[in-house]
Amino acid sequence: MCNRQAIPRIAEFMFLFKRLRRTEAEEKRAAPGTCDSKAAKFAGSPARIARTRSPLIVRTAMANSLELDRSPETTRVVVAMSGGVDSSVTAALLKAEGYDVVGVTLQLYDHGAAAHRKGACCAGQDIYDARTVAERIGIPHYVLDYETRFKEAVIDRFAESYIHGETPVPCVECNMSIKFHDLLITARELGADVLATGHYIASRSMPGGGRALYRARDEERDQSYFLFGTTREQLDVLRFPLGERTKTETRELARRFGLAIADKHDSQDICFVPTGHYADIIERLKPGAAEAGDIVDLDGKVLGAHSGIIHFTVGQRRGLGVATGTPLYVVRLDAEQRRVVVGPRDALRMSRIVLRDVNWIGEGSIEEALADDRREVFVKVRSTRPPQAAWLRHGANGCEVELVAGEHGVSPGQACVFYDAGEGQARVLGGGFIKSAVAAGDIRSTSDTRTAAPAMRG
């Protein structure tokens, strides 16, 4: 068990500024004739800052590996260090290239039973590992206490979502609310030029300005599904150095850097569920949430009883507690009536999805993208599934996705992420959360489906 302390944030920042602020003389020696990046912080792009200088000064430096027009030595990078191999290698790579690197680890939840669980993320051992790596590569490292914020923004919302019959994706919410919002604010306060993480996703500058997200080179490790909520403004200051690398290459780099975590197991998706049983966490947070109800078939016939819909997810087959002689799956969850609706596998096939909280990061606005009524896209409705051909359009209830070939097990609460291609390093166009889904046979004729499919393949 490591002996860690999470410093309160106000005191932490006072300490950080004392340690990290450079003197004017040091800055002039490091970057003669250039503007003070600490003063500029995130006020604008490097090109805009350069134009505020005297016209007699001509900048000739090429963009560095982070695509900033300055030397690595004058570029401060805050690296989000979880204690795993990916974020550790990210920090080591940037340090080796000469960047002014600062490691920050967020204490997100009460470690308790998760402290020594293999595959846990941001637990006690992970904080210790992050600090050890920072010492090894010679960078300052700080632990910030985000437990209260994480509980409010991620854990409580996770529980509420399950209670309402959804299957939430807490990693998406963590990225949107904590890592790419709160931590980005912290990076700014530390005078950073960019925030770097160990996610497997690519970020590239666009010819007309701004940046775009692309699927990772390592398709099996691609994490774009969990990052669809990233905004254009955040993309400008986020960097993902591992997006063009494979996991094998990352582990080899960890060994070359002499990092003890080179062979450490990867973290699991849901870091705050120490036993892997979601219902246990929900019942602890929301006593009485597991209300009993009926298990019914598609016609409403009662087949059995259950002890709470929080024990079920759409697509589930095992543990239903009913037997009819044929395989049954959870088709939908009716939270209001406390009913678990089951049926054959074919009943899981959905063709239309209604979305909420849509984030668009493709070209122009989403209104422009849908100016011709609909747009060809490829979508992922589960993180482990490949992108499927679909149409994106405005519907009566907001943005809708029409799946060309249908998809099984579409669950409210999950993310639906848009791409511009179905394979390779496709560009991420955005996404939204699934509000509801309509079964394939309920929305259009078979002939309409046959008409759409060839158009998508073209």
Side-chain angles (χ1 to χ4, degrees):
M1 186 71 178
C2 70
N3 180 21
R4 57 95 184 142
Q5 292 183 346
I7 306 172
R9 295 193 66 192
I10 295 178
E12 175 77 3
F13 293 142
M14 293 177 63
F15 178 70
L16 292 179
F17 280 122
K18 290 180 181 179
R19 288 287 305 274
L20 298 175
R21 187 182 298 277
R22 292 172 174 161
T23 65
E24 291 295 326
E26 289 174 328
E27 291 182 351
K28 289 180 180 179
R29 286 196 299 270
T34 63
C35 64
D36 180 3
S37 63
K38 304 302 181 296
K41 291 188 179 180
F42 288 73
S45 66
R48 178 181 176 184
I49 295 173
R51 285 196 294 269
T52 65
R53 303 293 298 174
S54 167
L56 296 177
I57 297 177
V58 178
R59 299 187 62 177
T60 58
M62 299 294 290
N64 58 35
S65 64
L66 297 178
E67 297 185 290
L68 296 176
D69 188 18
R70 65 192 64 157
S71 67
E73 293 78 9
T74 60
T75 303
R76 175 163 292 168
V77 184
V78 165
V79 178
M81 300 182 67
S82 66
V85 63
D86 299 327
S87 59
S88 297
V89 168
T90 296
L93 276 172
L94 295 172
K95 174 64 176 178
E97 291 180 21
Y99 289 98
D100 177 13
V101 180
V102 179
V104 172
T105 299
L106 304 182
Q107 178 186 313
L108 297 179
Y109 61 96
D110 183 7
H111 309 91
H116 296 290
R117 180 173 62 89
K118 182 175 72 174
C121 170
C122 305
Q125 182 62 44
D126 295 296
I127 294 175
Y128 173 81
D129 289 343
R131 179 174 291 138
T132 301
V133 168
E135 292 176 352
R136 167 72 181 177
I137 63 178
I139 64 171
H141 174 258
Y142 304 95
V143 179
L144 302 183
D145 186 349
Y146 273 61
E147 281 192 23
T148 300
R149 172 65 175 146
F150 185 71
K151 181 179 182 301
E152 294 172 350
V154 180
I155 300 179
D156 287 348
R157 292 182 185 179
F158 172 84
E160 285 291 339
S161 184
Y162 252 103
I163 291 172
H164 286 88
E166 297 182 335
T167 304
V169 193
C171 292
V172 173
E173 192 64 54
C174 181
N175 288 327
M176 292 173 60
S177 301
I178 305 296
K179 294 179 181 176
F180 294 168
H181 182 269
D182 293 355
L183 183 54
L184 197 53
I185 293 174
T186 298
R188 289 169 175 163
E189 292 172 336
L190 296 179
D193 298 296
V194 295
L195 170 65
T197 76
H199 288 102
Y200 284 88
I201 189 170
S203 168
R204 303 170 189 166
S205 59
M206 302 297 291
R211 302 185 68 81
L213 281 181
Y214 295 83
R215 296 188 69 194
R217 172 187 160 203
D218 190 336
E219 187 172 334
E220 292 184 0
R221 295 288 174 175
D222 174 59
Q223 293 174 293
S224 59
Y225 180 84
F226 303 102
L227 299 172
F228 80 87
T230 309
T231 67
R232 300 177 196 272
E233 294 75 20
Q234 291 168 346
L235 281 177
D236 286 341
V237 291
L238 287 169
R239 297 295 186 272
F240 309 101
L242 302 186
E244 303 293 347
R245 299 180 183 275
T246 66
K247 185 70 175 192
T248 300
E249 292 171 350
T250 299
R251 289 197 182 279
E252 180 57 32
L253 283 170
R255 297 185 187 98
R256 292 181 184 179
F257 285 123
L259 306 183
I261 45 76
D263 297 309
K264 184 176 180 178
H265 291 281
D266 292 329
S267 62
Q268 295 179 353
D269 285 344
I270 302 183
C271 61
F272 56 86
V273 184
T275 64
H277 300 299
Y278 311 145
D280 294 344
I281 297 294
I282 297 167
E283 289 181 298
R284 178 170 60 83
L285 293 171
K286 306 287 184 180
E291 296 183 273
D294 295 327
I295 298 177
V296 303
D297 65 14
L298 297 175
D299 295 322
K301 179 183 177 180
V302 177
L303 303 178
H306 65 79
S307 59
I309 64 171
I310 62 173
H311 298 284
F312 300 87
T313 58
V314 171
Q316 180 178 332
R317 177 183 174 185
R318 297 182 179 181
L320 301 185
V322 296
T324 62
T326 58
L328 293 176
Y329 299 80
V330 175
V331 176
R332 63 178 178 272
L333 299 172
D334 185 342
E336 185 175 347
Q337 300 295 325
R338 302 196 304 276
R339 298 193 306 176
V340 176
V341 182
V342 298
R345 176 172 169 75
D346 286 346
L348 287 171
R349 183 171 173 267
M350 301 292 160
S351 281
R352 180 172 294 171
I353 301 171
V354 179
L355 302 177
R356 60 173 173 83
D357 302 328
V358 173
N359 179 54
W360 178 260
I361 52 175
E363 295 295 334
S365 66
I366 191 167
E367 288 75 18
E368 293 171 334
L370 301 181
D372 296 327
D373 181 53
R374 63 181 185 177
R375 175 183 175 130
E376 299 179 41
V377 293
F378 291 80
V379 303
K380 292 181 69 171
V381 297
R382 292 288 178 108
S383 63
T384 56
R385 296 180 185 176
Q388 300 293 326
W391 297 106
L392 177 65
R393 66 176 69 192
H394 282 305
N397 299 309
C399 281
E400 294 182 354
V401 168
E402 189 173 330
L403 299 159
V404 172
E407 185 75 270
H408 287 81
V410 178
S411 177
Q414 291 281 300
C416 177
V417 183
F418 318 143
Y419 302 89
D420 70 351
E423 57 186 14
Q425 287 191 265
R427 181 177 176 180
V428 183
L429 302 176
F433 291 100
I434 299 172
K435 182 178 180 180
S436 62
V438 180
D442 296 341
I443 63 172
R444 60 179 182 174
S445 67
T446 302
S447 60
D448 189 16
T449 302
R450 285 198 298 266
T451 300
M456 289 301 299
R457 284 195 291 271

